[in-house]
Amino acid sequence: MAETKIFARLKADHDRHRKLLDQIDETKGDSSEREKLFEAFRVEVTAHAASEEMSLYATMLGKPDLREDAQHSVSEHKEIDDMLTELYEMDFASTGWLTRFRTMKHRYLHHIDEEEEEMFPEAEEGLSEAKKKELAAIFEKEKPKEKAKAAAEEPSSEDDKE
């Protein structure tokens, strides 16, 4: 899998995320299906974001012409993470849960569309083929570790950590 270039790998994850979001959106109330799908999405997106930051974003932060885009995306990762924590702590059966979920879904879809349409093409221009393969290898190495870590941890707000 390390032969896959980083952008194709990230886009494949985004496609899986879109599918999970649509599946969650179709669930009703406090169903075990909603909780199972949401937890799968939460773990997947948390691992994806951390691995993306360790591979692509780490490289982009070192390039003055790409730094601002990377910083913007990292801040959006934090925003989505905060929303996931909020959703995790809410009553899955409440109408407020679905409303908040749809807000998070909209923000996340905006984020990945922005990455794919604007940030990835700009970043790709400045990276050699070897670097793209190296970043994909880093992503592939880190994602399973981050996925295990995300699955083992309950989300908690920053206030809970103090």
Side-chain angles (χ1 to χ4, degrees), residues 48-161:
H48 171 89
S51 303
E52 186 175 47
E53 289 173 14
M54 285 185 256
S55 58
L56 179 62
Y57 291 0
T59 298
M60 289 177 66
L61 287 168
K63 295 184 175 286
D65 57 327
L66 299 175
R67 187 174 298 131
E68 191 176 320
D69 284 342
Q71 290 169 333
H72 174 74
S73 284
V74 169
S75 73
E76 286 185 342
H77 282 181
K78 172 71 172 112
E79 178 187 0
I80 299 298
D81 188 56
D82 289 347
M83 294 174 97
L84 289 173
T85 298
E86 185 181 341
L87 285 162
Y88 182 86
E89 294 171 347
M90 289 176 75
D91 177 3
F92 279 71
S94 72
T95 54
W97 190 93
L98 192 56
T99 301
R100 190 65 177 149
F101 168 79
R102 287 180 174 151
T103 300
M104 184 278 303
K105 177 182 176 181
H106 175 78
R107 290 293 302 132
Y108 185 69
L109 290 174
H110 165 79
H111 168 74
I112 61 178
D113 288 346
E114 191 174 63
E115 280 185 334
E116 292 173 5
E117 294 166 14
E118 298 170 24
M119 193 176 85
F120 291 176
E122 285 179 32
E124 190 167 18
E125 284 179 22
L127 298 175
S128 68
E129 292 302 309
K131 187 64 171 178
K132 291 174 204 173
K133 286 181 181 179
E134 176 189 336
L135 294 178
I138 292 168
F139 184 87
E140 291 298 333
K141 178 180 168 221
E142 295 301 326
K143 188 166 177 204
K145 294 182 212 171
E146 291 300 321
K147 202 166 181 177
K149 185 173 149 186
E153 291 178 351
E154 277 193 22
S156 62
S157 62
E158 291 298 316
D159 296 339
D160 294 344
K161 294 177 184 175

Side-chain angles (χ1 to χ4, degrees), residues 24 27-42 88 90-93 97:
I24 295 165
T27 62
K28 305 278 187 245
D30 191 16
S31 66
S32 61
E33 181 186 20
R34 177 179 281 178
E35 289 186 42
K36 185 179 113 199
L37 288 169
F38 177 75
E39 181 61 6
F41 177 78
R42 183 192 69 78
Y88 182 86
M90 289 176 75
D91 177 3
F92 279 71
W97 190 93

